[in-house]
Amino acid sequence: MINFLFLIPVFAILSAILVYKHNGKRDFLRLDAVQFVYAFLISPLIFVWLKSFSFFLLQKELGLGLSVGEIFFIDTLLSVFFLYLFAFVVMHSLTKTFELKRSRDPLYDLFEHSEFFHMDLSHLVIYLGGMLIVTFFSMLNIFIAFDWSVSKSFFYFLLSFGLFGGITGFMGIWNYELPEPNFMRLMKLLIAFFFLIHVFSYFIFEPVFSSQHAFYWFAFFVFLASAIMSLFAERPEKKKGLLQQLPFQLNPKKPKYYGKFILFKLQSFFRK
């Protein structure tokens, strides 16, 4: 075990040296490919090694007799420190990519390049990542029920907070710099996809409507509210009265548009 743990940083360093000769030759997701490897492959590998190696030392080798809580505290400190370090690694990878572009072309449009990361890519990763994390824990809660008992009023408050969270989350996506229609369509498809995962999970695994599966039901109501907003929300042409501050208005007739659109696509498909 200890030999394997020592081999990981050696492998990471050798990999970094070997790929460096390709610096500036290829791009991946608009990042220089070498910088991408440094930031998103080697750095996470070092992070996993750091946590594993520190846990191995604290639990078995140093003989300090630390409790689980103390080991967790030290591991958390190391993780937070590395996350700060990782943030600077990513910043360096991005700015190094800019420097390589400018060295080859002094008139290269760095603003357009930076907007690729600032706009759709980063927002897509953040929103999709948030949905994946919520879904992961809600699916986990189906198989591992909470061993707690809370009042029905608190449980219903949690579900109400889920509805509020779903509406707020949708508004966060909706407010994103008036995104291109294709980006918003993709977000709506993702919301519908994760909502259907929760619906099918209910019929397949039948989680009990109780606090033991509180996080599943919380996530269910989050995606339910977001899905409803996706169906009915539209950007208002004129804002009036108390609704002046809202970035959307609800149109109860809007689902008819989706039905007609789907019917038209089906008719076109079967005519071919």
Side-chain angles (χ1 to χ4, degrees):
M1 177 65 180
I2 189 67
N3 294 332
F4 178 73
L5 287 175
F6 275 113
L7 283 175
I8 291 178
V10 173
F11 170 77
I13 293 171
L14 288 176
S15 300
I17 295 172
L18 290 173
V19 300
Y20 184 77
K21 64 181 180 180
H22 300 287
N23 211 25
K25 293 183 180 180
R26 295 179 181 274
D27 288 349
F28 184 75
L29 294 178
R30 299 292 293 273
L31 269 176
D32 177 69
V34 173
Q35 301 305 316
F36 178 87
V37 170
Y38 288 170
F40 296 103
L41 295 180
I42 294 179
S43 292
L45 178 65
I46 294 295
F47 179 58
V48 173
W49 170 81
L50 175 66
K51 291 174 69 69
S52 302
F53 189 66
S54 61
F55 181 78
F56 179 79
L57 289 178
L58 293 171
Q59 188 183 45
K60 294 185 178 181
E61 294 297 311
L62 297 182
L64 299 177
L66 299 174
S67 66
V68 174
E70 290 169 332
I71 294 176
F72 176 76
F73 177 75
I74 296 173
D75 178 77
T76 301
L77 287 180
L78 286 172
S79 299
V80 171
F81 171 77
F82 191 89
L83 288 173
Y84 279 115
L85 180 62
F86 178 69
F88 282 94
V89 170
V90 173
M91 285 192 287
H92 175 268
S93 296
L94 180 59
T95 52
K96 181 63 177 178
T97 299
F98 292 162
E99 188 270 333
L100 291 169
K101 294 293 184 183
R102 287 298 299 270
S103 65
R104 291 200 297 267
D105 181 7
L107 299 179
Y108 186 79
D109 189 350
L110 291 182
F111 176 78
E112 185 276 332
H113 196 155
S114 66
E115 284 298 278
F116 171 79
F117 299 102
H118 168 237
M119 299 298 281
D120 288 356
L121 179 63
S122 60
H123 285 83
L124 175 61
V125 172
I126 291 170
Y127 298 145
L128 177 58
M131 294 179 195
L132 284 170
I133 291 172
V134 171
T135 301
F136 171 78
F137 283 107
S138 69
M139 295 298 105
L140 194 65
N141 187 212
I142 290 179
F143 301 103
I144 305 175
F146 291 147
D147 186 18
W148 66 340
S149 180
V150 297
S151 63
K152 286 187 177 181
S153 58
F154 180 82
F155 178 60
Y156 291 138
F157 167 78
L158 189 63
L159 300 185
S160 302
F161 189 72
L163 289 173
F164 175 75
I167 295 172
T168 305
F170 180 84
M171 289 175 62
I173 298 173
W174 191 264
N175 269 329
Y176 153 55
E177 293 293 328
L178 296 178
E180 292 295 324
N182 288 336
F183 182 85
M184 200 62 207
R185 290 191 189 106
L186 177 60
M187 287 295 102
K188 290 180 177 181
L189 285 174
L190 289 174
I191 291 170
F193 173 74
F194 285 107
F195 175 61
L196 288 175
I197 286 179
H198 285 76
V199 171
F200 290 141
S201 297
Y202 171 75
F203 287 107
I204 295 171
F205 302 109
E206 299 182 350
V208 179
F209 188 69
S210 68
S211 59
Q212 278 68 40
H213 298 285
F215 197 87
Y216 166 80
W217 289 109
F218 170 79
F220 183 95
F221 278 83
V222 166
F223 287 111
L224 172 63
S226 297
I228 292 173
M229 293 293 293
S230 298
L231 284 174
F232 293 99
E234 63 180 17
R235 300 193 187 280
E237 296 180 2
K238 295 181 180 180
K239 300 178 181 180
K240 299 179 181 180
L242 296 175
L243 301 179
Q244 211 167 20
Q245 302 301 318
L246 293 179
F248 61 87
Q249 65 184 18
L250 298 181
N251 183 357
K253 296 182 180 180
K254 195 171 182 183
K256 292 183 179 179
Y257 162 77
Y258 296 112
K260 291 179 180 178
F261 179 77
I262 294 172
L263 183 61
F264 172 76
K265 288 294 184 180
L266 289 174
Q267 289 175 343
S268 302
F269 175 78
F270 287 111
R271 285 173 184 171
K272 292 180 181 180

